[in-house]
Amino acid sequence: MTTFRAATAIIAAAGLSLFPQASHADMGKSPAGPQGIVLSFEGGYLYQDGPSVTGHGISNVVVTGPGDPVTDILVSPDSGYFVGGLIGYDAGKPFIFGFHRVELNLLYGRTDDSAHNVLSPGGDIVLSTVDGSVLGTGGATGTTNIERKTWEGALRFEDDDVINATTTVTWVLAPFIRGFDEDTRTAITTSVPCCEFGRTASVDATLYGIFFAAEPETWLTSNLALVGRVGAGVYGYDADGSFRSGGTAVTTGDFDASVSDGDSGAGFRGLLGIGLKLKVAPSTLLEGFAEADYFSKVPTAHLTSNDPSGGFVSHVQDDDLWELRTGVRLTIGFGPGAN
C-alpha cells in the first residue's frame, strides 16, 4: 500500500463514523474469494431534488390579455423507486491497474408527479404554446403529469487494503454511463365542449464519465459491519429536447408550435452514503443503506411561462440534482474462497 493510499484509508475509516458516505452497488469488501463470482440485488425508495417544471397556469380572473394575473403551476417529480443489481468476478490477483476484482453494476430509477386544477368561480385556467406566442384561455380543468427515468451502467474495478483485523478499505475506479429521461404532458379543457389545448416536452440526456471512491468497512461484531463510501468523479453529457403544443379544434390551429433544442457540457459527480452489513450466512450479506449522488449539471426541460404578456421559448437548461436512495441490498458470493 502506498503512503497516500494508507493515509487516505485511515482518514476514510475514521470518517465513516462522522458523516454519511456514498453508496452505489455493493459497498466494502466482496464476499467472493479468488476465482469467485458475486451477485447482488437492491431496491428501495428514490428521492430526486431537482428543478421543478412549469405546467398549466391558473388565474383568479378571466384572462383576456397582458396584465391579467396568472400563476404558473410548478410540478416536481421527486419521489419514486429504484432497483439494481451487479455481477462480479474476483481474479485473485491484480489484472489491471492493480485491481483484482471487476463488477458490472446496473441501476434503474423512476420518479413522477402531477397537478390537477378545476376552474374556480370568476377564474380561468390557461396554457401557452411552447414558443410563448399564443395563449390558450377559457380552461375548465388543467392537468400536468411529469415522469423522470434514470438508468446507469458502471464497470467497477476494485482492490482491497487491510487496515487492521476488523477494518478494510476497498478502492474503486468506475467508468459509467447514465441516462436521464424526462417527459412532461399538460392539457386544459375548455368550459364549453369545444377544445383541448395541450403541450408536451421530452428531454433525453446521456452522461458518460468516471469516478474514484474509497469504501471503508469496519466489523462491529462477527456478523455486523459498518460500511460506506466517499467518492468523486467527472462526466460529459449530451441532451436532446423536443417541445410541442397543439389544439383539438380548427379554431385552435394557431396554438400549434414545435421547438427543438440540444445541450452538451461537463459536470462534477459526488457520492455519499452509509450502510449496515449483516452476515446472514458465510457468503451471504444483507445490507440496509442510505445513499446520495450529486450531479452538478443535468439537462432538464424549461417550459415557457403561461403569463399572457408572453414567455420565453421553451428550451433545455442545465440544473444541479441530488439523488437520494434508501433501501436494502442482498449480496451473495459463489465459488472458491467465498466468505
Side-chain angles (χ1 to χ4, degrees), residues 78-245:
D78 50 18
S79 297
Y81 68 89
F82 74 92
V83 293
L86 70 79
I87 182 171
Y89 173 73
D90 192 324
K93 59 183 180 180
F95 64 92
I96 181 172
F97 303 132
F99 297 100
H100 65 87
R101 188 167 55 248
V102 61
E103 298 175 347
L104 174 63
N105 171 239
L106 301 174
L107 179 73
Y108 173 82
R110 179 184 181 274
T111 60
D112 60 17
D113 194 20
S114 62
H116 181 76
N117 294 92
V118 179
L119 177 68
S120 59
D124 202 356
I125 298 177
V126 300
L127 185 68
S128 70
T129 55
V130 292
D131 60 4
S133 60
V134 177
L135 188 72
T137 62
T141 63
T143 302
T144 296
N145 296 286
I146 299 180
E147 178 186 71
R148 285 178 178 155
K149 293 179 287 186
T150 183
W151 54 267
E152 178 170 330
L155 194 62
R156 295 161 46 90
F157 298 97
E158 300 181 349
D159 184 38
D160 305 314
D161 278 339
V162 177
I163 306 303
N164 54 46
T166 59
T167 302
T168 61
V169 174
T170 298
W171 303 94
V172 180
L173 182 68
F176 68 89
I177 180 170
R178 173 177 277 247
F180 281 103
D181 301 329
E182 177 187 273
D183 292 295
T184 302
R185 297 168 297 279
T186 299
I188 68 170
T189 57
T190 58
S191 54
V192 177
C194 164
C195 313
E196 180 179 273
F197 299 94
R199 69 182 186 187
T200 63
S202 178
V203 175
D204 298 327
T206 304
L207 285 56
Y208 40 89
I210 191 169
F211 67 80
F212 180 75
E215 300 179 354
E217 177 178 286
T218 299
W219 285 91
L220 307 176
T221 70
S222 59
N223 293 317
L224 184 66
L226 182 64
V227 293
R229 178 182 298 123
V230 56
V234 294
Y235 60 87
Y237 62 89
D238 290 301
D240 293 311
S242 176
F243 308 85
R244 290 183 173 83
S245 56

Side-chain angles (χ1 to χ4, degrees), residues 261-281:
D261 192 26
D263 191 20
S264 62
F268 165 80
R269 180 179 187 178
L271 303 101
L272 297 172
I274 195 166
L276 283 174
K277 183 182 289 187
L278 177 66
K279 183 179 290 188
V280 297

Side-chain angles (χ1 to χ4, degrees), residues 39-64:
L39 293 176
S40 183
F41 308 93
E42 63 184 70
Y45 173 74
L46 171 64
Y47 178 84
Q48 290 183 331
D49 184 10
S52 300
V53 178
T54 302
H56 52 280
I58 60 174
S59 177
N60 57 6
V61 301
V62 176
V63 177
T64 59

